[in-house]
Amino acid sequence: MRRRLLAEATRLFAAKGFENTSVQEIVSAAGVTKGAMYHYFGSKDDLLREVYARVLRLQTDRLDRFADAPGPVAGRVHAAAADVIMTTIDNLDDFKIFFRSMHQLAPETQKSVRAERRRYHERFRDLLGEGQRSGVFRDDIPADLVVDYFFGSVHHLGSWYRADGALSAKEIGDHFADLLLASLRP
């Protein structure tokens, strides 16, 4: 039931916006009572907070696996970059909410989410830095700038990606990763 509530809230928040979605709409869509919702989530805000936590957990866990894997750094960066595109596309409603509704979070939650996102970007940056230090990647462009450039593109997927488009999520992920690696060649 918790998962169903979160799924329906995510769908509605992505379609209508957090502020335009009522608790009644969420519980009706999930086929439960308000009492059942409040058993799992203290408020509509708690549902939004869980969307953010879920997104951050998913991508951080996956990035850690790629970053910690054995093998050449270029392969690990390619895998991590392609994966962030694929997981963003596979969870597009979550990411639309992530970038549209940050201002709806309570100040302390915003601070926490920003800190988690910063840690994620730092982990990605450290992986790029590993490649720069080892001479695999050019080092005349600061890794922070590369990360900001790459994730700026990722953050806009929700505005142009279409499930019925010509390319699959994997193809788009591979192309984005190829572009990133091409820009890093010495």
Side-chain angles (χ1 to χ4, degrees):
M1 191 175 308
R2 183 180 195 285
R3 192 175 301 158
R4 188 170 18 153
L5 280 161
L6 190 56
E8 290 302 330
T10 299
R11 184 182 63 75
L12 289 164
F13 294 165
K16 298 177 65 173
F18 173 79
E19 62 279 356
N20 295 321
T21 302
S22 71
V23 169
Q24 185 59 51
E25 289 172 304
I26 295 167
V27 298
S28 293
V32 301
T33 65
K34 284 184 182 178
M37 189 199 106
Y38 291 122
H39 174 75
Y40 294 100
F41 299 96
S43 65
K44 186 172 89 165
D45 291 347
D46 287 347
L47 282 162
L48 181 61
R49 184 178 315 114
E50 182 55 29
V51 170
Y52 280 85
R54 179 176 61 187
V55 167
L56 289 166
R57 277 191 311 267
L58 169 71
Q59 288 197 321
T60 299
D61 290 348
R62 294 180 70 82
L63 175 58
D64 286 343
R65 269 189 260 140
F66 291 113
D68 294 338
V73 68
R76 291 182 286 133
V77 167
H78 189 282
D83 185 73
V84 75
I85 298 297
M86 289 184 292
T87 57
T88 298
I89 290 171
D90 289 346
N91 298 281
L92 204 53
D93 281 350
D94 292 60
F95 286 93
K96 286 178 182 177
I97 296 164
F98 196 94
F99 296 108
R100 282 195 304 212
S101 300
M102 179 72 81
H103 68 284
Q104 300 288 337
L105 294 169
E108 278 305 307
T109 304
Q110 278 186 36
K111 185 178 175 181
S112 172
V113 166
R114 284 192 174 105
E116 284 298 313
R117 189 170 62 184
R118 187 173 39 259
R119 280 192 283 282
Y120 177 86
H121 285 193
E122 288 168 355
R123 177 71 179 191
F124 200 92
R125 182 205 59 214
D126 291 345
L127 190 55
L128 296 176
E130 178 185 336
Q132 288 176 323
R133 286 186 304 279
S134 65
V136 173
F137 300 149
R138 59 192 286 182
D139 63 0
D140 60 325
I141 301 172
D144 283 332
L145 187 59
V146 174
V147 169
D148 289 342
Y149 181 79
F150 177 73
F151 282 102
S153 298
V154 173
H155 297 168
H156 287 283
L157 281 169
S159 66
W160 63 264
Y161 172 78
R162 299 290 172 261
D164 60 354
L167 299 174
S168 70
K170 181 177 180 355
E171 290 169 321
I172 294 169
D174 285 339
H175 286 312
F176 266 67
D178 290 346
L179 288 167
L180 175 63
L181 287 180
S183 72
L184 291 169
R185 283 191 194 110

